[in-house]
Amino acid sequence: METANHIPSLFVSHGAPDLPLSECSARDFLSGLADQLPQSRAILVISPHWMTSVPTLSTASQMRAIHDFGGFSPALSQLRYDAPGFSSSLQQAVLERLEAAQLPLAVDPARSLDHGAWVPLLLMHPQADIPVAQLSLPAHWTPSQLVALGEAISPLRKEGVLILSSGSATHNLWAFGGRALNSPTPDWVTAFEQWLIEAVERGDLEQLMAYSQAPYAKENHPTPEHLLPLFIAMGAGGRRGELLHRSYTYEIFSMAAFSFA
């Protein structure tokens, strides 16, 4: 496994909760992603399925998978992800970074991992032997505030902490029903995805912050929460990103993933 002075921050698309049970290239990509990265001391994960008024850190000593979904195969609810939580010193390191940036913060000693967090973690680190904590997505923060949040926690990367922002490059649940896993992707999805990839690779933060003006923005993100973790990843790792993966599931979910170094 590669070693480096610090670890890049990531934005990955977690797709539907059944990704671990699906035969697709996105699952294969996430299953091999850890081998492409420096070894992590710990993982701080952000997901749109835990939203709070201010950034909140899970401080449970044992993190477990929350099965926060319905309508999928019963086998999916049998999957587990039991990982150690952050040590008290790692928790303090996160809180000190937010305090130094004068950002509001809270802790939750009972919170575990929603599917936006544990699905990619299960594929990346199936042995669940790396300490994990989840940081909530502030519900009403602007992209610029989320970039500032990413900047505040960025120094953790030099301490061996992987900052993993999990969301979805495209996300329209209203268009999800009845679609097959590997069916052709419509133009309205690929047009927005192409715009997103080009803007991320240029590091064009101004354009990304105006994502509502992108081609088919409303069709791909009727609500913004699955795109917003991208801004934390950008703040944590630097403006310009590298495309790591591009594929689709259920026709309409772009599974694009980016690294920010």
Side-chain angles (χ1 to χ4, degrees):
M1 182 175 290
E2 181 185 353
T3 58
N5 292 330
H6 60 262
I7 299 173
S9 65
L10 301 179
F11 173 83
V12 300
S13 296
H14 61 252
D18 64 351
L19 183 63
L21 304 180
S22 301
E23 294 286 345
C24 61
S25 60
R27 187 189 72 171
D28 295 342
F29 159 72
L30 286 171
S31 296
L33 180 55
D35 292 335
Q36 302 177 35
L37 301 171
Q39 187 168 5
S40 303
R41 170 191 177 198
I43 302 171
L44 182 63
V45 60
I46 300 98
S47 159
H49 295 283
W50 185 27
M51 300 181 72
T52 57
S53 58
V54 300
T56 303
L57 180 69
S58 60
T59 57
S61 60
Q62 183 71 37
M63 302 297 287
R64 295 182 170 86
I66 302 171
H67 297 88
D68 52 344
F69 45 77
F72 293 93
S73 165
L76 190 59
S77 295
Q78 301 304 312
L79 295 181
R80 297 289 182 265
Y81 196 78
D82 301 325
F86 273 20
S87 65
S88 57
S89 60
L90 269 175
Q91 293 172 10
Q92 189 61 32
V94 177
L95 297 174
E96 287 175 355
R97 297 301 179 188
L98 295 178
E99 290 173 350
Q102 298 183 322
L103 295 176
L105 59 97
V107 298
D108 187 333
R111 176 74 188 190
S112 274
L113 301 168
D114 59 66
H115 77 268
W118 69 260
V119 163
L121 288 171
L122 176 65
L123 294 170
M124 293 172 64
H125 295 284
Q127 295 182 349
D129 54 354
I130 297 178
V132 176
Q134 187 162 350
L135 185 67
S136 70
L137 180 67
H140 302 294
W141 281 26
T142 64
S144 61
Q145 289 175 303
L146 295 175
V147 169
L149 174 58
E151 291 172 342
I153 59 177
S154 179
L156 296 169
R157 295 166 49 227
K158 294 183 179 180
E159 301 173 27
V161 178
L162 172 64
I163 297 171
L164 178 65
S165 286
S166 173
S168 193
T170 63
H171 189 263
N172 186 335
L173 289 183
W174 287 275
F176 175 44
R179 295 180 182 269
L181 178 64
N182 293 310
S183 296
T185 302
D187 291 344
W188 59 267
V189 173
T190 55
F192 178 86
E193 182 204 48
Q194 185 62 35
W195 171 90
L196 180 68
I197 291 171
E198 292 175 0
V200 168
E201 290 183 331
R202 290 196 307 270
D204 193 338
L205 186 56
E206 182 177 352
Q207 186 174 34
L208 288 164
M209 287 182 175
Y211 64 86
S212 62
Q213 305 302 312
Y216 301 104
K218 194 64 176 177
E219 289 83 353
N220 286 282
H221 289 284
T223 56
E225 74 287 340
H226 275 71
L227 186 62
L228 293 178
L230 173 70
F231 294 102
I232 299 177
M234 291 186 74
R239 299 294 187 263
R240 184 170 295 180
E242 175 188 356
L243 179 67
L244 298 180
H245 177 76
R246 183 180 194 179
S247 70
Y248 311 93
T249 57
Y250 292 106
E251 302 180 40
I252 58 167
F253 295 141
S254 164
M255 301 300 291
F258 301 97
S259 170
F260 299 88

